[in-house]
Amino acid sequence: MSGRTVTITEVARHAGVAVSTVSYVLSGKRTISAGTRRRVLDSIDALGYHPHAGARALASKRSNVIALVLPLRAGMHVPVLMRFASAVVTAARRFDHDVLLLTADEGTDGIRRVAASALVDAFVLMDVELDDSRVPLLRELAEPSVLIGFPAEPAGLTCVDLDFAAAGAQCVAHLAERGHSRIALLGAPAVVYERGTGFARRTREGFVAAVAAHRVTGVALPCEETFDEVYSTLSRLLRDQPDLSGLVVHNEAAVGHVLSALRQLGRRVPEDVAVVAICPDDVAERASPPLTSVLIPAEEVGREAVRLVMDKLDGKPAPDATLLTPHLALRAST
Amino acid sequence: MSGRTVTITEVARHAGVAVSTVSYVLSGKRTISAGTRRRVLDSIDALGYHPHAGARALASKRSNVIALVLPLRAGMHVPVLMRFASAVVTAARRFDHDVLLLTADEGTDGIRRVAASALVDAFVLMDVELDDSRVPLLRELAEPSVLIGFPAEPAGLTCVDLDFAAAGAQCVAHLAERGHSRIALLGAPAVVYERGTGFARRTREGFVAAVAAHRVTGVALPCEETFDEVYSTLSRLLRDQPDLSGLVVHNEAAVGHVLSALRQLGRRVPEDVAVVAICPDDVAERASPPLTSVLIPAEEVGREAVRLVMDKLDGKPAPDATLLTPHLALRAST
DNA sequence: GGGGAGTGTCGAAGCGCTTCGATGACCGGC
DNA sequence: GCCGGTCATCGAAGCGCTTCGACACTCCCC
């Protein structure tokens, strides 16, 4: 099979109709009688026809490809990124679109280039930061875009993310309900807060607000990702506050170290210290003990981002902000 | 700026030349006088011209896009995958190509579809397994492809990977030189070996061969990824072989647990047990103590894969197998 | 039983680019 | 001073598709 590539003309000839009729069968943009449609569809499959993407893009001014733009900083959050990416591809396919991968190496030029060359119809940006250099460019582009994460000035943009403030608050509420009155948040490395990464700050804000609301004592600390740093942070914390009994960990890479360090400091989980994590499910499940956690719903975020960008492509209005409700999964650590 | 999109016709008019001349300036396929070239290039920049990707693909039968096909199984190896992906994109850009991301969800149909629709010119497959359903399809496609990893029957295919057998052997050699005569390999979870994943097996083979060659005692065990499993495997191992003093860990997810478990079993690293890991650099560096490791050179593999696929696109011959030499980085754990 | 409103289908004109053959201008050799 | 050969450039023919206007029917209402 597949000697040469099959064109719409051959399909038309095979089905005994005009080329335009085949096109209309495929696009559904004009009514076609059931009989003709059948014949055309049969010919399509008999010949193994696939429309030529370039020709289609040229004639229709739509490439049916969206760009997925990777974050500026590699190294953070990595496994989650992969799940986002995979979710975005899967969701895009459901709208009959493919996904072009763009890295930050090329910076804003890459975005400009693929937009200008009509390679893609729209953009999904992952892991947007508060002060993101790609954002101003997006504003002047004709192509629609959706951001995963929130920049400092999100007005007029379409952004999706987990509601991290609610996630932080939910962890506090959970620990408070369990009777813990002195708790701590171990967050991202200090540099991440300084850089102004939105999700880290928002979690902390949610934590702080909930601590006040629930009338418990809580302290939020940044947390480096080496065992030694985690160990010393924790031992200091437990020395200063011996009755600390609840811990919220929002740092995927440090989760394992936190558990090891507690073990080594002679604290049992959950008997002495209850631990809630904000991290992907697989990390929480693989920990020992498995962690009660607020999962980062990568699939859901990816799917939602694609849905929004498709709405915008169709000219439908899209809400500026979409915050996905966090869900707490109960496991052995609380 | 950028009211409407600029076409080659407008560039030609602006520069006072024919459309074909502009095209030849861009492609270099015919000689153009220096003066004309200059004028054309100036016009291109003045107008901000970018060739329309679809039109170009239609006329030239080349899309300048390659497909990057994600592995069938998600969840394994994840951060490394992301680095591969990023390396592939960066390398592809150097050849003026973009990268389309394909997931396994769509299976072989996705590959067939993008090939038939001329969306991509070539394929790079990540994390190929011994018995990979995508391989037979690739063989019948006209588009060139390169595999990262090795299937069971690689004849006639172009494959790239780290030389895992050499990596396993190198770890053994390193430990043997340091005077360790009783060592063990903690590998991937049992299911990974059963599934026939190439890199896991090849590391083990390299380990076993090197153990014999260096006349040391060595045992290779699969290794699950929860702390409890790691702990019990290790404690059993140390009970049965109290003088075991060298450990090779080829399981990114278990690295942290191995160190915690050793700590908890009262063995110091490297004083009591020397540990070598085969894992990405960042994992080795973040461990405590930082691990001597054979790094998985994601960037290099990605770059090499792209280079090979571009050679094939140009009709140049490409070697069937490319094995990248492993490099051992000395750190505190041995 | 003639006019208007749908239906279903066709033909042709592009979309923006590459590429092939043709054409002029210019050169050196006789 | 005319001929063959480069060199630089042009014009036009597609590439495979979508879309627009036109056309031929059928149906129904007055």
Side-chain angles (χ1 to χ4, degrees), chain A residues 205-224:
Chain A
E205 287 160 16
F207 175 88
V208 169
V211 159
H214 287 272
R215 303 172 181 287
V216 297
T217 313
V219 50
L221 300 175
C223 177
E224 303 306 318

Side-chain angles (χ1 to χ4, degrees), chain B:
Chain B
M1 52 168 284
S2 92
R4 243 188 60 278
T5 133
V6 185
T7 71
I8 198 173
T9 311
E10 301 169 40
V11 174
R13 179 164 29 242
H14 187 273
V17 299
V19 164
S20 49
T21 303
V22 177
S23 178
Y24 287 124
V25 165
L26 254 20
S27 69
K29 293 191 180 176
R30 286 203 181 171
T31 47
I32 297 286
S33 67
T36 308
R37 185 202 315 303
R38 252 283 49 85
R39 252 179 318 129
V40 169
L41 292 176
D42 288 349
S43 297
I44 284 178
D45 256 47
L47 301 179
Y49 168 68
H50 287 263
H52 187 289
R56 195 196 269 262
L58 179 57
S60 69
K61 313 191 157 321
R62 285 289 219 101
S63 66
N64 275 33
V65 174
I66 65 178
L68 176 63
V69 189
L70 293 186
L72 297 172
R73 322 247 161 194
M76 63 174 328
H77 236 14
V78 185
V80 191
L81 287 188
M82 204 68 206
R83 293 178 50 210
F84 273 133
S86 177
V88 166
V89 173
T90 305
R93 283 303 308 145
R94 271 205 266 287
F95 291 93
D96 194 34
H97 279 242
D98 278 287
V99 173
L100 195 84
L101 194 60
L102 245 41
T103 55
D105 287 23
E106 221 185 336
T108 54
D109 288 351
I111 297 180
R112 209 186 293 277
R113 180 177 56 79
V114 298
S117 64
L119 232 188
V120 307
D121 297 334
F123 293 87
V124 173
L125 268 75
M126 290 171 75
D127 215 35
V128 171
E129 297 180 3
L130 280 181
D131 179 21
D132 198 303
S133 60
R134 300 166 297 181
V135 168
L137 171 57
L138 251 29
R139 298 196 120 98
E140 70 187 42
L141 245 39
E143 288 75 10
S145 53
V146 169
L147 318 191
I148 294 178
F150 281 80
E153 193 41 83
L157 300 168
T158 306
C159 305
V160 191
D161 209 349
L162 175 64
D163 187 343
F164 280 99
Q170 206 168 89
C171 293
V172 172
H174 176 68
L175 291 173
E177 274 165 24
R178 291 279 207 253
H180 301 282
S181 59
R182 189 176 284 278
I183 65 182
L185 167 69
L186 292 180
V191 60
V192 172
Y193 289 99
E194 284 152 22
R195 180 199 305 161
T197 306
F199 70 89
R201 291 199 180 179
R202 283 183 283 131
T203 303
R204 192 173 57 182
E205 287 160 16
F207 176 89
V208 169
V211 159
H214 288 272
R215 303 172 180 287
V216 297
T217 314
V219 51
L221 300 174
C223 177
E224 303 306 318
E225 300 180 341
T226 64
F227 176 80
D228 293 342
E229 296 273 7
V230 170
Y231 182 88
S232 70
T233 302
L234 268 178
S235 63
R236 211 173 322 118
L237 196 59
L238 290 169
R239 169 166 47 74
D240 297 347
Q241 308 187 29
D243 58 338
L244 183 107
S245 65
L247 220 45
V248 178
V249 184
H250 182 201
N251 183 328
E252 200 180 312
V255 162
H257 294 327
V258 168
L259 294 175
S260 303
L262 286 173
R263 221 178 274 129
Q264 213 162 329
L265 286 163
R267 309 283 173 133
R268 292 163 304 163
V269 175
E271 293 83 351
D272 303 323
V273 179
V275 178
V276 192
I278 301 177
C279 69
D281 256 16
D282 53 333
V283 172
E285 274 166 10
R286 192 153 60 206
S288 38
L291 296 173
T292 291
S293 72
V294 169
L295 79 181
I296 297 178
E299 279 75 14
E300 200 181 338
V301 172
R303 206 181 322 123
E304 194 58 19
V306 170
R307 210 182 53 69
L308 288 166
V309 89
M310 290 298 156
D311 277 357
K312 291 178 89 171
L313 271 175
D314 291 348
K316 297 184 203 149
D320 282 10
T322 305
L323 287 177
L324 299 174
T325 311
H327 293 289
L328 191 97
L330 277 181
R331 297 204 187 77
S333 68
T334 59

Side-chain angles (χ1 to χ4, degrees), chain A residues 54-86:
Chain A
R56 196 197 269 263
L58 179 57
S60 69
K61 314 192 155 319
R62 285 287 221 103
S63 66
N64 275 33
V65 174
I66 64 178
L68 176 63
V69 189
L70 292 186
L72 296 172
R73 320 246 162 195
M76 64 174 327
H77 237 13
V78 184
V80 191
L81 286 188
M82 202 69 206
R83 293 176 52 211
F84 273 133
S86 178

